[in-house]
Coordinates of all heavy atoms in Angstrom, one line a residue:
M1 N -7.6 7.1 2.3 CA -6.2 6.6 2.0 C -6.3 5.2 1.3 O -5.4 5.0 0.4 CB -5.5 6.4 3.3 CG -4.0 6.2 3.1 SD -3.1 7.6 2.3 CE -3.3 8.9 3.5
K2 N -7.3 4.4 1.6 CA -7.4 3.1 0.9 C -7.6 3.3 -0.6 O -7.1 2.6 -1.4 CB -8.6 2.3 1.5 CG -8.4 1.8 2.9 CD -9.6 1.0 3.3 CE -9.4 0.5 4.7 NZ -10.6 -0.4 5.1
E3 N -8.5 4.3 -0.9 CA -8.7 4.6 -2.3 C -7.5 5.1 -3.0 O -7.3 4.8 -4.2 CB -9.8 5.7 -2.4 CG -11.2 5.2 -1.9 CD -11.4 5.3 -0.4 OE1 -10.6 6.1 0.2 OE2 -12.2 4.6 0.1
L4 N -6.7 5.9 -2.3 CA -5.4 6.4 -2.9 C -4.5 5.2 -3.3 O -3.9 5.1 -4.4 CB -4.7 7.3 -2.0 CG -3.3 7.8 -2.4 CD1 -3.4 8.6 -3.7 CD2 -2.6 8.6 -1.3
I5 N -4.3 4.3 -2.3 CA -3.5 3.1 -2.5 C -4.0 2.3 -3.7 O -3.2 1.9 -4.6 CB -3.4 2.3 -1.2 CG1 -2.7 3.1 -0.1 CG2 -2.6 1.0 -1.5 CD1 -2.8 2.5 1.2
Q6 N -5.3 2.1 -3.7 CA -5.9 1.3 -4.8 C -5.7 2.0 -6.2 O -5.4 1.3 -7.2 CB -7.4 1.0 -4.6 CG -7.6 0.0 -3.5 CD -9.1 -0.1 -3.1 OE1 -9.9 0.7 -3.5 NE2 -9.4 -1.2 -2.5
T7 N -5.9 3.3 -6.2 CA -5.7 4.1 -7.4 C -4.3 4.0 -8.0 O -4.0 3.9 -9.2 CB -6.1 5.5 -7.2 OG1 -7.4 5.6 -6.7 CG2 -5.9 6.4 -8.5
I8 N -3.3 4.0 -7.1 CA -1.9 3.9 -7.5 C -1.6 2.5 -8.0 O -0.9 2.3 -9.0 CB -1.0 4.2 -6.3 CG1 -1.1 5.7 -5.9 CG2 0.5 3.9 -6.6 CD1 -0.4 6.1 -4.6
V9 N -2.1 1.5 -7.3 CA -1.7 0.1 -7.6 C -2.4 -0.5 -8.8 O -1.9 -1.3 -9.6 CB -1.8 -0.8 -6.4 CG1 -1.6 -2.2 -6.7 CG2 -0.9 -0.3 -5.2
K10 N -3.7 -0.1 -9.0 CA -4.5 -0.7 -10.0 C -3.9 -0.7 -11.4 O -3.9 -1.7 -12.1 CB -5.9 0.0 -10.1 CG -6.9 -0.8 -10.8 CD -8.3 -0.2 -10.6 CE -8.9 -0.6 -9.3 NZ -10.3 -0.3 -9.2
P11 N -3.3 0.4 -11.9 CA -2.7 0.3 -13.3 C -1.4 -0.6 -13.4 O -1.0 -0.9 -14.4 CB -2.3 1.8 -13.6 CG -2.9 2.6 -12.5 CD -3.3 1.7 -11.4
L12 N -0.8 -0.9 -12.2 CA 0.4 -1.7 -12.2 C 0.2 -3.2 -12.4 O 1.1 -3.9 -12.8 CB 1.2 -1.5 -10.9 CG 1.6 0.0 -10.6 CD1 2.2 0.0 -9.3 CD2 2.6 0.5 -11.7
V13 N -1.0 -3.7 -12.0 CA -1.3 -5.1 -11.9 C -2.1 -5.7 -13.0 O -2.8 -4.9 -13.7 CB -1.9 -5.4 -10.5 CG1 -1.0 -5.0 -9.4 CG2 -3.3 -4.8 -10.4
D14 N -2.0 -7.0 -13.2 CA -2.9 -7.7 -14.2 C -4.2 -8.1 -13.6 O -5.1 -8.4 -14.4 CB -2.1 -8.9 -14.8 CG -0.9 -8.5 -15.6 OD1 -0.9 -7.4 -16.2 OD2 0.1 -9.3 -15.6
F15 N -4.3 -8.3 -12.3 CA -5.5 -8.7 -11.7 C -6.0 -7.7 -10.7 O -5.9 -7.8 -9.4 CB -5.2 -10.1 -10.9 CG -4.8 -11.1 -11.9 CD1 -3.4 -11.4 -11.9 CD2 -5.7 -11.8 -12.6 CE1 -3.0 -12.4 -12.8 CE2 -5.2 -12.9 -13.5 CZ -3.9 -13.1 -13.6
P16 N -6.6 -6.5 -11.2 CA -7.0 -5.5 -10.2 C -8.1 -5.9 -9.3 O -8.2 -5.3 -8.2 CB -7.4 -4.3 -11.2 CG -7.7 -5.0 -12.5 CD -6.8 -6.2 -12.5
E17 N -8.8 -6.9 -9.6 CA -9.9 -7.3 -8.8 C -9.4 -8.0 -7.5 O -10.1 -8.2 -6.5 CB -10.9 -8.3 -9.5 CG -10.3 -9.6 -9.9 CD -9.5 -9.6 -11.2 OE1 -9.4 -8.5 -11.9 OE2 -8.9 -10.6 -11.6
D18 N -8.1 -8.4 -7.5 CA -7.5 -9.0 -6.3 C -6.9 -8.1 -5.3 O -6.3 -8.5 -4.3 CB -6.5 -10.1 -6.8 CG -7.1 -11.3 -7.4 OD1 -8.3 -11.4 -7.3 OD2 -6.4 -12.0 -8.1
I19 N -6.9 -6.8 -5.6 CA -6.3 -5.8 -4.7 C -7.2 -5.6 -3.5 O -8.4 -5.4 -3.6 CB -6.2 -4.4 -5.4 CG1 -5.3 -4.5 -6.6 CG2 -5.7 -3.4 -4.4 CD1 -5.2 -3.3 -7.5
K20 N -6.5 -5.8 -2.3 CA -7.2 -5.6 -1.0 C -6.4 -4.7 -0.2 O -5.2 -4.9 -0.1 CB -7.5 -6.9 -0.4 CG -8.4 -7.8 -1.1 CD -8.7 -9.1 -0.3 CE -9.5 -10.1 -1.1 NZ -8.8 -10.7 -2.3
V21 N -7.0 -3.7 0.5 CA -6.3 -2.8 1.4 C -7.1 -2.9 2.7 O -8.3 -2.5 2.8 CB -6.3 -1.4 0.8 CG1 -5.5 -0.5 1.8 CG2 -5.6 -1.3 -0.5
N22 N -6.4 -3.3 3.8 CA -7.0 -3.3 5.1 C -6.2 -2.3 6.0 O -5.0 -2.2 5.8 CB -6.9 -4.7 5.7 CG -7.7 -5.7 4.9 OD1 -8.8 -5.4 4.5 ND2 -7.1 -6.9 4.7
A23 N -6.9 -1.7 6.9 CA -6.3 -0.7 7.8 C -6.4 -1.2 9.2 O -7.5 -1.6 9.6 CB -6.9 0.7 7.6
I24 N -5.3 -1.1 10.0 CA -5.3 -1.4 11.4 C -4.9 -0.1 12.1 O -3.8 0.4 11.8 CB -4.4 -2.6 11.7 CG1 -4.9 -3.8 11.0 CG2 -4.4 -2.8 13.2 CD1 -4.0 -5.0 11.1
E25 N -5.7 0.4 13.0 CA -5.4 1.7 13.6 C -5.4 1.5 15.1 O -6.2 0.8 15.7 CB -6.5 2.6 13.2 CG -6.3 4.0 13.7 CD -7.3 5.0 13.1 OE1 -8.1 4.7 12.2 OE2 -7.3 6.2 13.6
D26 N -4.4 2.2 15.7 CA -4.3 2.3 17.1 C -4.1 3.8 17.5 O -4.2 4.6 16.6 CB -3.3 1.3 17.8 CG -1.9 1.6 17.4 OD1 -1.6 2.7 17.0 OD2 -1.1 0.6 17.4
E27 N -3.8 4.1 18.7 CA -3.7 5.5 19.1 C -2.6 6.3 18.5 O -2.6 7.5 18.4 CB -3.7 5.7 20.6 CG -2.5 5.0 21.3 CD -2.8 3.5 21.7 OE1 -4.0 3.1 21.6 OE2 -1.9 2.9 22.1
T28 N -1.5 5.6 18.1 CA -0.3 6.4 17.5 C 0.0 6.1 16.1 O 0.8 6.8 15.5 CB 0.9 6.0 18.4 OG1 1.2 4.6 18.3 CG2 0.8 6.5 19.8
R29 N -0.6 5.0 15.5 CA -0.2 4.7 14.1 C -1.4 4.0 13.4 O -2.3 3.5 14.0 CB 1.0 3.8 14.1 CG 0.8 2.5 14.8 CD 2.1 1.8 15.0 NE 2.2 0.5 14.2 CZ 3.3 -0.1 13.9 NH1 4.4 0.3 14.2 NH2 3.2 -1.2 13.2
I30 N -1.3 4.1 12.0 CA -2.2 3.4 11.2 C -1.4 2.5 10.2 O -0.4 3.0 9.6 CB -3.1 4.4 10.3 CG1 -3.8 5.3 11.2 CG2 -4.0 3.6 9.4 CD1 -4.5 6.4 10.5
T31 N -1.7 1.2 10.2 CA -0.9 0.3 9.3 C -1.9 -0.1 8.2 O -2.9 -0.7 8.5 CB -0.4 -0.9 10.1 OG1 0.4 -0.4 11.2 CG2 0.4 -1.8 9.2
Y32 N -1.5 0.1 7.0 CA -2.3 -0.4 5.8 C -1.6 -1.6 5.3 O -0.4 -1.6 5.0 CB -2.3 0.7 4.7 CG -3.1 1.9 5.1 CD1 -2.5 3.0 5.7 CD2 -4.5 1.9 5.0 CE1 -3.3 4.1 6.1 CE2 -5.3 3.0 5.4 CZ -4.6 4.1 5.9 OH -5.4 5.2 6.3
H33 N -2.4 -2.7 5.1 CA -1.9 -3.9 4.5 C -2.4 -4.0 3.1 O -3.6 -4.1 2.9 CB -2.4 -5.1 5.3 CG -1.9 -5.2 6.7 ND1 -0.6 -5.7 7.0 CD2 -2.3 -4.7 7.9 CE1 -0.4 -5.6 8.3 NE2 -1.4 -5.0 8.9
L34 N -1.5 -4.0 2.1 CA -1.9 -4.1 0.7 C -1.6 -5.5 0.3 O -0.5 -6.0 0.5 CB -1.1 -3.1 -0.1 CG -1.1 -3.3 -1.6 CD1 -2.5 -3.1 -2.2 CD2 -0.1 -2.4 -2.3
S35 N -2.6 -6.2 -0.2 CA -2.4 -7.5 -0.8 C -2.9 -7.6 -2.2 O -3.9 -7.0 -2.6 CB -3.2 -8.6 0.0 OG -4.6 -8.4 0.0
V36 N -2.1 -8.2 -3.0 CA -2.3 -8.3 -4.5 C -2.2 -9.8 -4.9 O -1.7 -10.6 -4.1 CB -1.4 -7.5 -5.3 CG1 -1.6 -6.0 -5.0 CG2 0.1 -7.8 -5.1
N37 N -2.6 -10.1 -6.1 CA -2.4 -11.5 -6.6 C -0.9 -11.8 -6.6 O -0.1 -11.0 -6.8 CB -3.0 -11.5 -8.0 CG -3.0 -12.9 -8.6 OD1 -2.0 -13.6 -8.7 ND2 -4.2 -13.4 -8.9
K38 N -0.6 -13.1 -6.3 CA 0.8 -13.6 -6.3 C 1.5 -13.3 -7.6 O 2.7 -12.9 -7.5 CB 0.8 -15.1 -6.0 CG 2.1 -15.6 -5.6 CD 2.0 -17.1 -5.2 CE 3.3 -17.6 -4.7 NZ 3.2 -18.9 -4.1
A39 N 0.9 -13.4 -8.7 CA 1.5 -13.1 -10.0 C 1.9 -11.6 -10.1 O 2.8 -11.3 -10.9 CB 0.6 -13.5 -11.1
D40 N 1.2 -10.7 -9.4 CA 1.4 -9.3 -9.5 C 2.4 -8.8 -8.5 O 2.8 -7.6 -8.5 CB 0.1 -8.5 -9.4 CG -0.8 -8.7 -10.6 OD1 -0.3 -8.9 -11.7 OD2 -2.0 -8.7 -10.4
M41 N 2.9 -9.6 -7.6 CA 3.7 -9.1 -6.5 C 5.0 -8.5 -7.0 O 5.4 -7.4 -6.5 CB 4.1 -10.3 -5.6 CG 4.8 -9.9 -4.3 SD 3.8 -8.8 -3.3 CE 2.6 -9.9 -2.8
G42 N 5.6 -9.0 -8.0 CA 6.9 -8.4 -8.5 C 6.7 -7.1 -9.1 O 7.5 -6.2 -9.0
K43 N 5.5 -6.9 -9.8 CA 5.2 -5.6 -10.4 C 5.0 -4.5 -9.3 O 5.4 -3.4 -9.6 CB 4.0 -5.7 -11.3 CG 4.2 -6.6 -12.4 CD 2.9 -6.8 -13.2 CE 3.1 -7.7 -14.4 NZ 1.9 -8.0 -15.1
V44 N 4.4 -4.9 -8.2 CA 4.1 -3.9 -7.2 C 5.4 -3.6 -6.4 O 5.6 -2.4 -6.0 CB 3.0 -4.4 -6.2 CG1 2.8 -3.5 -5.0 CG2 1.7 -4.6 -7.0
I45 N 6.3 -4.5 -6.2 CA 7.5 -4.3 -5.5 C 8.5 -3.6 -6.4 O 9.2 -2.7 -6.0 CB 8.1 -5.6 -4.9 CG1 7.1 -6.1 -3.8 CG2 9.5 -5.4 -4.3 CD1 7.4 -7.5 -3.3
G46 N 8.7 -4.1 -7.6 CA 9.6 -3.5 -8.6 C 11.0 -3.9 -8.3 O 11.3 -4.6 -7.4
K47 N 11.9 -3.5 -9.3 CA 13.3 -3.9 -9.1 C 13.9 -3.2 -7.9 O 13.8 -2.0 -7.8 CB 14.1 -3.5 -10.4 CG 13.8 -4.3 -11.6 CD 14.7 -3.9 -12.7 CE 14.4 -4.8 -13.9 NZ 15.2 -4.5 -15.1
Q48 N 14.5 -4.0 -7.1 CA 15.2 -3.5 -5.8 C 14.2 -2.7 -4.9 O 14.6 -1.8 -4.2 CB 16.4 -2.7 -6.1 CG 17.5 -3.5 -6.8 CD 18.7 -2.6 -7.1 OE1 18.7 -1.4 -6.9 NE2 19.8 -3.3 -7.6
G49 N 12.9 -3.0 -5.1 CA 11.9 -2.3 -4.2 C 11.6 -0.9 -4.6 O 11.0 -0.2 -3.8
R50 N 11.9 -0.5 -5.8 CA 11.8 0.9 -6.1 C 10.3 1.4 -6.2 O 9.9 2.4 -5.8 CB 12.5 1.2 -7.4 CG 14.0 1.3 -7.3 CD 14.7 1.7 -8.5 NE 16.1 1.7 -8.3 CZ 17.0 1.2 -9.2 NH1 16.5 0.8 -10.4 NH2 18.3 1.2 -8.9
V51 N 9.5 0.5 -6.8 CA 8.0 0.8 -7.0 C 7.4 0.9 -5.6 O 6.6 1.8 -5.3 CB 7.3 -0.2 -7.9 CG1 5.8 0.1 -8.0 CG2 7.9 -0.1 -9.3
A52 N 7.7 -0.1 -4.8 CA 7.1 -0.1 -3.4 C 7.5 1.1 -2.6 O 6.7 1.7 -1.9 CB 7.6 -1.4 -2.7
K53 N 8.8 1.5 -2.8 CA 9.3 2.7 -2.1 C 8.5 4.0 -2.6 O 8.2 4.8 -1.8 CB 10.8 2.9 -2.3 CG 11.4 4.0 -1.5 CD 12.9 4.0 -1.7 CE 13.4 5.2 -0.9 NZ 14.9 5.4 -1.1
A54 N 8.3 4.0 -3.9 CA 7.6 5.2 -4.5 C 6.1 5.2 -4.0 O 5.6 6.3 -3.6 CB 7.6 5.1 -6.0
I55 N 5.5 4.1 -3.9 CA 4.1 4.0 -3.4 C 4.1 4.5 -1.9 O 3.2 5.3 -1.5 CB 3.5 2.6 -3.5 CG1 3.4 2.2 -5.0 CG2 2.2 2.5 -2.8 CD1 3.1 0.7 -5.2
R56 N 5.0 4.0 -1.1 CA 5.1 4.4 0.3 C 5.3 5.9 0.4 O 4.7 6.6 1.3 CB 6.2 3.6 1.0 CG 5.8 2.2 1.3 CD 6.9 1.5 2.1 NE 6.4 0.2 2.5 CZ 7.0 -0.9 2.0 NH1 8.0 -0.9 1.2 NH2 6.5 -2.1 2.3
T57 N 6.2 6.5 -0.4 CA 6.5 7.9 -0.4 C 5.2 8.7 -0.6 O 4.9 9.7 0.1 CB 7.6 8.3 -1.4 OG1 8.8 7.5 -1.1 CG2 7.9 9.7 -1.4
V58 N 4.4 8.3 -1.6 CA 3.2 9.1 -1.9 C 2.2 8.9 -0.8 O 1.6 9.9 -0.4 CB 2.6 8.6 -3.3 CG1 1.2 9.1 -3.5 CG2 3.5 8.9 -4.4
V59 N 2.0 7.7 -0.3 CA 1.1 7.5 0.8 C 1.5 8.3 2.1 O 0.7 8.9 2.7 CB 1.0 6.0 1.1 CG1 0.2 5.7 2.4 CG2 0.3 5.3 0.0
Y60 N 2.8 8.2 2.4 CA 3.2 9.0 3.6 C 3.1 10.5 3.4 O 2.7 11.2 4.4 CB 4.7 8.6 3.9 CG 4.9 7.2 4.2 CD1 6.2 6.7 4.2 CD2 3.9 6.3 4.6 CE1 6.5 5.3 4.5 CE2 4.1 5.0 4.9 CZ 5.4 4.5 4.9 OH 5.7 3.2 5.2
A61 N 3.3 11.0 2.2 CA 3.1 12.4 2.0 C 1.7 12.8 2.1 O 1.3 13.8 2.6 CB 3.7 12.8 0.6
A62 N 0.8 12.0 1.5 CA -0.6 12.3 1.6 C -1.2 12.2 3.0 O -2.1 12.9 3.4 CB -1.4 11.3 0.7
G63 N -0.6 11.4 3.8 CA -1.0 11.2 5.2 C -0.3 12.1 6.2 O -0.5 12.0 7.4
S64 N 0.5 13.0 5.7 CA 1.3 13.8 6.6 C 0.4 14.7 7.5 O 0.8 15.2 8.5 CB 2.4 14.6 5.9 OG 1.8 15.5 5.0
S65 N -0.8 15.0 7.0 CA -1.6 15.9 7.7 C -2.3 15.2 8.9 O -2.8 15.9 9.8 CB -2.7 16.5 6.8 OG -3.5 15.4 6.3
Q66 N -2.3 13.9 8.9 CA -2.8 13.2 10.0 C -1.8 13.2 11.2 O -0.7 13.4 11.0 CB -3.1 11.7 9.7 CG -4.2 11.6 8.6 CD -4.5 10.1 8.3 OE1 -4.0 9.2 8.9 NE2 -5.4 9.9 7.3
H67 N -2.3 13.1 12.4 CA -1.5 13.1 13.6 C -1.0 11.8 14.0 O -0.6 11.6 15.1 CB -2.2 13.9 14.7 CG -2.6 15.2 14.3 ND1 -1.7 16.3 14.1 CD2 -3.8 15.8 14.1 CE1 -2.3 17.4 13.8 NE2 -3.6 17.1 13.8
K68 N -1.1 10.8 13.1 CA -0.6 9.5 13.4 C 0.4 9.0 12.4 O 0.4 9.5 11.2 CB -1.8 8.5 13.3 CG -2.8 8.7 14.4 CD -3.9 7.7 14.4 CE -4.9 7.9 15.5 NZ -5.9 6.8 15.6
K69 N 1.3 8.1 12.8 CA 2.3 7.6 11.9 C 1.7 6.6 11.0 O 0.9 5.8 11.4 CB 3.4 7.0 12.7 CG 4.6 6.6 11.9 CD 5.9 7.2 12.6 CE 7.1 6.7 11.8 NZ 7.6 7.7 10.9
L70 N 2.0 6.7 9.7 CA 1.5 5.7 8.7 C 2.5 4.7 8.3 O 3.7 5.0 8.2 CB 1.0 6.5 7.4 CG -0.1 7.4 7.5 CD1 -0.4 8.1 6.2 CD2 -1.4 6.7 8.0
F71 N 2.0 3.5 8.1 CA 2.9 2.4 7.6 C 2.1 1.7 6.5 O 0.9 1.5 6.5 CB 3.2 1.4 8.7 CG 4.0 2.0 9.8 CD1 3.4 2.5 10.9 CD2 5.4 2.0 9.7 CE1 4.2 3.1 12.0 CE2 6.2 2.5 10.8 CZ 5.5 3.1 11.9
L72 N 2.9 1.2 5.5 CA 2.3 0.4 4.4 C 3.0 -0.9 4.3 O 4.2 -0.9 4.0 CB 2.3 1.2 3.1 CG 1.8 0.4 1.8 CD1 0.3 0.1 2.0 CD2 2.1 1.2 0.6
E73 N 2.3 -2.0 4.5 CA 2.9 -3.3 4.3 C 2.3 -3.9 3.0 O 1.1 -3.9 2.8 CB 2.6 -4.2 5.5 CG 3.2 -3.7 6.8 CD 2.9 -4.5 8.0 OE1 2.1 -5.5 7.8 OE2 3.4 -4.2 9.1
I74 N 3.2 -4.6 2.3 CA 2.8 -5.2 1.0 C 3.0 -6.7 1.1 O 4.1 -7.1 1.5 CB 3.6 -4.6 -0.2 CG1 3.4 -3.1 -0.3 CG2 3.2 -5.3 -1.5 CD1 4.3 -2.4 -1.2
G75 N 2.0 -7.4 0.8 CA 2.1 -8.9 0.9 C 1.0 -9.5 0.0 O 0.3 -8.9 -0.7
E76 N 0.9 -10.8 0.2 CA -0.1 -11.6 -0.5 C -1.4 -11.7 0.3 O -1.4 -11.8 1.5 CB 0.4 -13.0 -0.8 CG 1.5 -13.0 -1.8 CD 2.0 -14.4 -2.1 OE1 1.2 -15.3 -2.1 OE2 3.2 -14.5 -2.2

């Protein structure tokens, strides 16, 4: 899942080397923390959060086969 998130975000940003994805997992959920360069934050979020919502939709659909709830948090 980390590779999927990186593959989606890499073409959107100017500083792809600053992309970091961390996963925190417990018994019922997996939370992925996506961090990008501060200058790229607007590109990843998009107008009115549309790009962020689209990224979350793809990640949630790809993870639907897992038996845990997925969350994606975007920050610096």
Side-chain angles (χ1 to χ4, degrees):
M1 194 61 68
K2 289 181 182 183
E3 294 82 19
L4 174 64
I5 295 169
Q6 289 175 341
T7 302
I8 294 170
V9 174
K10 197 173 277 191
L12 300 174
V13 298
D14 292 331
F15 302 98
E17 65 277 359
D18 291 345
I19 297 172
K20 293 181 187 72
V21 180
N22 298 318
I24 299 173
E25 185 171 350
D26 62 25
E27 59 271 350
T28 59
R29 62 192 244 162
I30 304 172
T31 303
Y32 292 96
H33 294 276
L34 169 64
S35 63
V36 296
N37 189 301
K38 191 173 185 174
D40 291 327
M41 188 61 68
K43 294 177 184 175
V44 174
I45 294 173
K47 288 186 179 179
Q48 297 180 351
R50 288 186 181 138
V51 175
K53 185 176 179 182
I55 293 170
R56 286 187 176 111
T57 301
V58 171
V59 169
Y60 297 163
S64 64
S65 63
Q66 297 183 3
H67 300 292
K68 296 185 178 186
K69 189 128 173 101
L70 293 179
F71 295 93
L72 177 62
E73 296 179 358
I74 301 171
E76 291 178 38

